[in-house]
Amino acid sequence: MKAAEEGMKASIADRPVKRNRRLPKMNWRGALAVAAFFLAWHFLVLLKAPGFREIASPIEVLNTFLTQYIGNPKYWNSWVASFKRVIYGFVLAQVLGIPLGLLLGTRETFHNLVYPVIEILRPIPPLAWVPISILFWPTTELSIIFITFIGAFFIIVINVHDAVRNIKKEHYWLALSLGANGGQVFRRIMIPSVIPSIAVGMTLGMAVTWNVVIAAEMIAGDNGLGRLTWEGYVSHTVTVVIIGMISIGLAGYLSTIGVDYLEKKMMPWRGTR
Amino acid sequence: MTVQASHAIDEAMEKSLTVMAPRPDVGSLAIENVGKTYDPEGARVVALHDCSVDIAPGDFLAIVGPSGCGKSTLMNIIAGFDNVTEGRVLLDGQLLATPSSPPKPGPDRVVVFQNGALFPWKTVLENVMYGPLVQHKMTLDVAEERAMDLLTKCGGLDKVAASYPPQLSSGMQRRVEIVRALINEPKILLLDEPFRAMDTVSKNTMHQHLLEMYRVCRKTIIFITHDLEEAIYLADKVIVMTSRPGTIKSTIAVNLPRPRTPEMMLGAEYLALKAQAIASVHEEAKKAFERGEREHA
Ligand SMILES: Nc1ncnc2c1ncn2[C@@H]1O[C@H](COP(=O)(O)OP(=O)(O)O)[C@@H](O)[C@H]1O
Ligand SMILES: [Mg+2]
């Protein structure tokens, strides 16, 4: 039993506190699945399977992309336009939503005053804000950013609010009995306690933000990846529709990687197991 | 853990903990006719009624009683997390709690909770240094040296100083928590069912660790548990509580010699005490059971 305990200690001591950075391993199964997807798509179009008559094959799409889009500044501007809206909306949602969530979670009077309003506004889907937003904001750009903001805002507010309310009371108590004052409890106990929920709110928020920005661009925008896709549809150019869709998928994926990276930085105590 | 092993720890710890000179003149606690009613305007849950306990400096007191009898309530009152509705509590003759004063927690009475309350976002070392740093009692360098010293001597915890708490076994976590409390040199160490969720083997190891820490630093300890054997094995005095409302039913003086060894649990003296305590607790447990008390934290 003594030996077992020694063994346990040793194994913990041996564990490196910081893992060496390794290149992510190639996911062969995943690569295979992607290849299979494109192959299936190609043959379904080739065989004119039901529903696939008007769809372009991956070869055609690639062809169009290489000849007309890869060197086309207008295409890359669509990326920039959409990314800008996502970032503005997302960052604004965090900057306003996190403090609001903290206030709602800590100030009883403020909570009673403001929370009901939030509960009424929250279920309204971001796209239902489009008409009002267009009427209210002077430019289309601002209204799209606003709608994007709405998508991520309520998610982060609710997540932070719940997290504050669920902080272990033992943590509060301990900090107080170890001599912390109100400000120290806020900075050193409350903030770290809610960071995991902020991370969840950011992941969900980023996903919603892309949904919203693409839809808003289709309805109201004059540029962006959503607009590009929609224009492809209106002009019956299926290759463009597909280029737009794949671009959106990639953009969302890149954003997820960015948010994941940020979350790792915010929570050094996670993922060291 | 074997006796030899415990002596090895014992010697190592003695070297480090002597810095923390035993001060048998501080750490006396007087609990006088304390009562606590939760939600006095509404549901009126009477958790404690007319509880009086006297604890001398350096005493190891154990409180046993069925779940929901108010053990944690009493602990929270002493720690200053909650107020009393009747009676008063004095620490070294100074008023700690009265019905009219707001609860005031402090580093002279640190609690180790049943489910553990290490800050998961801080490393073991940062957790231990938290108290002295937040009170500006030590510089970072001094705090670190002191913390590493205590961790080293409390069973080699220095090896995990850079780890985050969720990486440790629950036994190690609890030991780190005790170190985090001890670095503040509290007058009283409050332990609220600290080993409840542990298997028998780890629990026995923890008992030895705790006894060693107690032997060397001689702080007043209040140890809450629902495990009678544990209470008798560790304490000088065992208090048995009744439930609903929580009152003190009996006090059992444990005159077993120290240092305590696991072999003592087979001795006649220990067994007689246990029989006495069981009779007392059993009566209570039966009443509580009949009242339909459910097991809860
Ligand atoms: N904050 C509270 N509000 C109302 N009742 C409570 C509260 N905390 C504890 N109680 C009640 O007081 C009684 C004693 O609880 P507690 O001190 O936690 O018991 P123990 O630690 O002995 O299991 C229980 O019946 C419990 O339901
Ligand atoms: Mg309890």
Side-chain angles (χ1 to χ4, degrees):
Chain A
M1 125 97 268
K2 179 96 203 304
E5 212 205 11
E6 291 296 350
M8 185 173 65
K9 273 183 214 154
S11 75
I12 286 177
D14 291 346
R15 221 173 286 169
V17 174
K18 267 189 189 152
R19 284 238 179 100
N20 294 332
R21 258 162 224 245
R22 272 180 312 180
L23 290 171
K25 258 212 245 157
M26 181 70 196
N27 177 358
W28 290 107
R29 288 195 184 86
L32 214 68
V34 173
F37 170 79
F38 280 100
L39 224 67
W41 170 16
H42 183 75
F43 280 105
L44 284 167
V45 173
L46 211 69
L47 298 171
K48 296 201 170 8
F52 281 83
R53 278 171 192 285
E54 301 197 30
I55 308 289
S57 79
I59 307 284
E60 283 174 82
V61 173
L62 188 66
N63 217 353
T64 312
F65 181 71
L66 292 178
T67 54
Q68 294 170 37
Y69 282 83
I70 195 160
N72 184 344
K74 190 166 171 273
Y75 168 70
W76 293 110
N77 281 340
S78 308
W79 273 79
V80 174
S82 294
F83 251 107
K84 238 183 181 162
R85 289 164 184 153
V86 164
I87 290 171
Y88 277 135
F90 179 81
V91 170
L92 213 62
Q94 311 308 314
V95 167
L96 296 178
I98 294 170
L100 181 64
L102 289 174
L103 268 176
L104 283 170
T106 49
R107 307 266 169 227
E108 197 61 33
T109 330
F110 185 74
H111 180 270
N112 292 342
L113 201 70
V114 175
Y115 201 69
V117 181
I118 293 194
E119 281 293 79
I120 292 170
L121 295 181
R122 188 167 66 105
I124 304 174
L127 291 183
W129 288 85
V130 170
I132 286 288
S133 183
I134 290 174
L135 292 176
F136 182 86
W137 297 99
T139 67
T140 319
E141 192 58 29
L142 282 177
S143 49
I144 294 179
I145 290 173
F146 175 73
I147 298 157
T148 314
F149 159 81
I150 291 283
F153 178 69
F154 289 110
I155 292 176
I156 193 78
V157 170
I158 298 298
N159 265 285
V160 172
H161 168 264
D162 285 352
V164 172
R165 302 217 139 193
N166 288 328
I167 293 177
K168 276 175 89 172
K169 67 176 189 299
E170 285 88 354
H171 284 166
Y172 269 131
W173 282 351
L174 235 127
L176 290 173
S177 82
L178 292 177
N181 60 33
Q184 287 164 330
V185 169
F186 178 81
R187 266 181 290 119
R188 307 242 194 118
I189 307 298
M190 203 153 86
I191 298 293
S193 300
V194 300
I195 281 181
S197 297
I198 294 181
V200 171
M202 279 171 46
T203 306
L204 296 174
M206 185 49 92
V208 169
T209 302
W210 272 105
N211 275 340
V212 172
V213 97
I214 296 304
E217 283 172 357
M218 286 183 170
I219 299 170
D222 43 23
N223 57 5
L225 291 173
R227 192 70 207 168
L228 177 88
T229 311
W230 189 248
E231 276 170 1
Y233 169 68
V234 174
S235 63
H236 297 282
T237 341
V238 186
T239 43
V240 177
V241 172
I242 295 171
I243 288 173
M245 286 172 67
I246 294 178
S247 306
I248 294 165
L250 279 176
Y253 182 56
L254 288 178
S255 310
T256 308
I257 292 177
V259 171
D260 282 352
Y261 176 79
L262 208 66
E263 287 172 4
K264 287 219 178 70
K265 287 273 141 190
M266 295 193 310
M267 297 184 288
W269 65 91
R270 289 275 177 95
T272 42
R273 287 160 202 236
Chain B
M1 164 167 307
T2 61
V3 187
Q4 292 92 308
S6 89
H7 282 316
I9 292 173
D10 174 300
E11 270 162 30
M13 205 175 307
E14 191 156 29
K15 270 183 217 131
S16 78
L17 291 179
T18 38
V19 198
M20 215 157 39
R23 291 187 300 179
D25 52 324
V26 298
S28 75
L29 195 74
I31 300 167
E32 299 178 350
N33 313 101
V34 159
K36 171 73 188 173
T37 306
Y38 285 109
D39 196 10
E41 262 91 61
R44 288 193 59 82
V45 182
V46 183
L48 292 175
H49 178 69
D50 199 22
C51 288
S52 296
V53 186
D54 262 314
I55 306 162
D59 255 12
F60 195 135
L61 178 86
I63 301 177
V64 251
S67 272
C69 75
K71 304 183 295 291
S72 295
T73 301
L74 187 60
M75 188 72 98
N76 291 343
I77 286 170
I78 299 167
F81 303 143
D82 211 338
N83 64 352
V84 296
T85 41
E86 284 159 48
R88 56 182 199 162
V89 181
L90 298 117
L91 175 63
D92 289 331
Q94 291 199 310
L95 267 183
L96 210 70
T98 62
S100 57
S101 60
K104 50 170 192 286
D108 52 351
R109 294 152 280 145
V110 185
V111 179
V112 175
F113 290 103
Q114 169 186 327
N115 295 318
L118 289 172
F119 304 129
W121 55 86
K122 287 181 183 296
T123 63
V124 165
L125 179 65
E126 287 165 350
N127 263 286
V128 175
M129 294 191 304
Y130 185 81
L133 290 184
V134 88
Q135 297 164 53
H136 302 290
K137 248 175 55 180
M138 297 181 193
T139 64
L140 186 64
D141 288 345
V142 175
E144 185 170 341
E145 192 182 319
R146 192 84 186 78
M148 285 309 285
D149 190 39
L150 279 175
L151 285 169
T152 308
K153 302 302 164 32
C154 289
L157 288 170
D158 57 317
K159 294 199 195 85
V160 296
S163 306
Y164 288 98
Q167 298 168 264
L168 309 184
S169 69
S170 63
M172 280 194 183
Q173 289 183 27
R174 233 34 59 78
R175 267 152 62 198
V176 171
E177 282 200 75
I178 295 174
V179 172
R180 176 172 73 173
L182 286 178
I183 198 172
N184 297 286
E185 309 209 3
K187 290 176 182 165
I188 301 187
L189 190 57
L190 303 163
L191 302 159
D192 190 352
E193 305 201 41
F195 312 143
R196 180 178 177 151
M198 279 179 209
D199 60 274
T200 322
V201 175
S202 336
K203 209 162 155 173
N204 291 342
T205 314
M206 292 301 294
H207 289 161
Q208 287 324 113
H209 279 292
L210 181 63
L211 284 171
E212 291 314 321
M213 285 183 209
Y214 174 65
R215 194 181 70 78
V216 178
C217 73
R218 278 287 155 173
K219 301 273 173 220
T220 307
I221 293 183
I222 302 182
F223 186 96
I224 288 183
T225 175
H226 61 248
D227 177 348
L228 251 180
E229 308 200 358
E230 176 176 72
I232 299 171
Y233 180 56
L234 296 172
D236 302 312
K237 195 154 95 174
V238 177
I239 282 180
V240 180
M241 281 181 73
T242 68
S243 60
R244 282 296 175 88
T247 54
I248 287 157
K249 181 181 163 74
S250 56
T251 306
I252 301 164
V254 181
N255 291 321
L256 296 173
R258 290 185 188 273
R260 306 260 169 100
T261 55
E263 291 75 31
M264 277 183 192
M265 291 176 121
L266 304 169
E269 211 175 338
Y270 175 85
L271 292 174
L273 283 166
K274 192 172 139 188
Q276 181 192 347
I278 284 175
S280 180
V281 171
H282 184 66
E283 215 174 294
E284 271 324 300
K286 222 169 87 185
K287 271 195 232 152
F289 187 76
E290 279 158 8
R291 237 181 277 124
E293 273 280 359
R294 279 187 302 117
E295 170 81 5
H296 75 111

